[in-house]
Amino acid sequence: MDHAAEAQRTDLMTITRHVLNEQGRHPESRGDFTILLSHIVLGCKFVASAVNKAGLAKLIGLAGDTNGEEQKKLDVLSNEVFVKALVSSGRTCVLVSEENEEAIIVDAPLRGNHEFDKIMIFGIYMIKDKDNVTLDDVLQPGTDMLAAGYCMYGSSCTLVLSTGNGVNGFTLDPSLGEFILTHPNIKIPNRGKIYSVNEGNAKNWDAPTAKFVEKCKFPQDGSPSKSLRYIGSMVADVHRTLLYGGIFLYPADQKSPNGKLRVLYEVFPMSFLMEQAGGQAFTGKQRALELVPRKIHDRSPIFLGSYDDVEDIKALYASESIIG
């Protein structure tokens, strides 16, 4: 037996240990937050196991029927798993998901937002009155968010989490059945070399977005051009941006004047993480986390990433406003 290797494994920072350490920073804590996060982690493990057993192709609908039965798609499976996990935690009151037209009202003291496909995004708020749960408990600004994160499934399972004290990334170790801290204290560079946007919509962009992308390609200050990287999955694109810097853009355009990404379970959680990592998130009009949603499926434009890169797009919108 390699005792040195075994000793090293026992010294690994697991997500359970990390969450308990965070709880220890708050002596008044009753453990509710820790219990809720442990159920989110359990849901991530369950879905990761389903992906590994059935194969990602089947779960995202790329394969045909199996034994005459249609394979349950990953977004539907994930939604069912996380709703059950969050409800069974006994620590949620209101759940909002892309898969559910209406908010799900349950009984308890915290609320989670989530959206699933080949990824899962979540955000957590404290409710105002656990004995009188209303839709207003869902429609809070992002500045009231307590925690946020996302989980990505595939050849490996990655969980990125912030409880309001920086951002940490964990990778599921199948041999241990536990998420291990692999990306501690993630800090986004102040400026990056990559921009991420769907250029297929370029003809419909407003002037500030078009000017910014033009500057990325053909900078006038002698700096190198930025490289375009666009996967088409918000989480995958933002994850890369978080680690290596740059900017992710999903602007409003003529086809979608209010943007396409949902405020509660896409814009807010990712903006929270980006700010916690030292970056910025901007809607074209204001700080993204200061939005106040009116409906649970409201949408918004979003520009998020390295602090200085977002400053550049903010300056272009400010200039457009002055000219206008």
Side-chain angles (χ1 to χ4, degrees):
M1 175 183 291
D2 188 340
H3 294 287
E6 288 300 311
Q8 187 176 11
R9 284 168 69 86
T10 59
D11 194 42
L12 293 173
M13 174 63 77
T14 66
I15 195 166
T16 303
R17 182 174 160 193
H18 171 77
V19 170
L20 289 173
N21 286 349
E22 288 295 295
Q23 180 181 326
R25 295 175 52 249
H26 302 278
E28 73 283 3
S29 173
R30 298 176 301 174
D32 291 330
F33 195 39
T34 300
I35 291 171
L36 177 58
L37 288 174
S38 71
H39 278 71
I40 290 174
V41 169
L42 178 62
C44 291
K45 291 179 180 179
F46 188 98
V47 175
S49 176
V51 169
N52 288 332
K53 286 180 180 178
L56 188 60
K58 291 181 180 179
L59 286 175
I60 62 175
L62 298 180
D65 293 353
T66 303
N67 296 328
E69 295 182 2
E70 185 178 349
Q71 181 70 46
K72 182 172 288 187
K73 302 301 183 286
L74 182 55
D75 53 355
V76 177
L77 170 67
S78 299
N79 193 61
E80 292 179 358
V81 167
F82 281 96
V83 167
K84 289 177 181 178
L86 291 166
V87 171
S88 66
S89 74
R91 301 300 188 276
T92 52
C93 278
V94 187
L95 306 179
V96 175
S97 168
E98 181 183 14
E99 302 302 321
N100 299 98
E101 189 72 21
E102 304 293 335
I104 301 171
I105 307 295
V106 291
D107 299 317
L110 286 172
R111 189 276 269 159
N113 287 335
H114 49 276
E115 184 268 337
F116 316 98
D117 192 352
K118 294 169 281 297
I119 49 85
M120 182 273 288
I121 310 171
F122 64 89
I124 302 171
Y125 293 86
M126 185 70 74
I127 63 166
K128 299 169 185 175
D129 181 358
K130 67 179 181 179
D131 297 320
N132 183 30
V133 180
T134 70
L135 200 59
D136 287 340
D137 289 306
V138 173
L139 303 177
Q140 298 186 50
T143 49
D144 290 347
M145 189 170 279
L146 298 179
Y150 57 83
C151 191
M152 300 189 297
Y153 309 101
S155 57
S156 65
C157 181
T158 302
L159 175 59
V160 175
L161 171 70
S162 175
T163 57
N165 184 37
V167 181
N168 291 280
F170 302 82
T171 302
L172 182 61
D173 183 334
S175 67
L176 298 176
E178 182 62 276
F179 281 97
I180 305 300
L181 180 63
T182 51
H183 296 80
N185 194 27
I186 296 171
K187 293 295 183 185
I188 186 171
N190 284 336
R191 189 176 291 280
K193 300 177 181 179
I194 295 171
Y195 72 103
S196 183
V197 66
N198 182 0
E199 294 210 61
N201 294 326
K203 66 178 182 179
N204 298 314
W205 289 342
D206 60 17
T209 301
K211 289 178 183 177
F212 179 81
V213 172
E214 184 73 6
K215 288 178 66 176
C216 288
K217 295 177 178 180
F218 308 105
Q220 301 298 308
D221 58 2
S223 61
S225 299
K226 291 184 184 294
S227 299
L228 171 65
R229 297 286 185 275
Y230 184 71
I231 297 172
S233 162
M234 181 198 189
V235 170
D237 284 317
V238 172
H239 182 68
R240 182 195 56 250
T241 303
L242 198 61
L243 295 180
Y244 303 112
I247 186 168
F248 171 84
L249 308 87
Y250 211 120
D253 57 36
Q254 295 175 20
K255 294 189 300 182
S256 304
N258 295 319
K260 292 200 70 174
L261 295 176
R262 276 61 60 98
V263 172
L264 283 177
Y265 41 87
E266 290 175 319
V267 171
F268 277 172
M270 303 309 272
S271 298
F272 183 88
L273 290 166
M274 196 59 70
E275 287 197 3
Q276 285 292 317
Q280 292 194 77
F282 177 62
T283 68
K285 295 181 179 179
Q286 64 184 112
R287 178 188 175 201
L289 289 179
E290 292 179 350
L291 280 171
V292 180
R294 296 181 180 180
K295 298 179 181 178
I296 63 174
H297 298 301
D298 272 0
R299 300 171 187 260
S300 173
I302 187 67
F303 306 87
L304 50 80
S306 295
Y307 193 96
D308 291 345
D309 287 323
V310 177
E311 279 294 298
D312 289 346
I313 191 77
K314 288 168 67 176
L316 288 169
Y317 271 98
S319 175
E320 184 79 5
S321 177
I322 293 171
I323 293 172

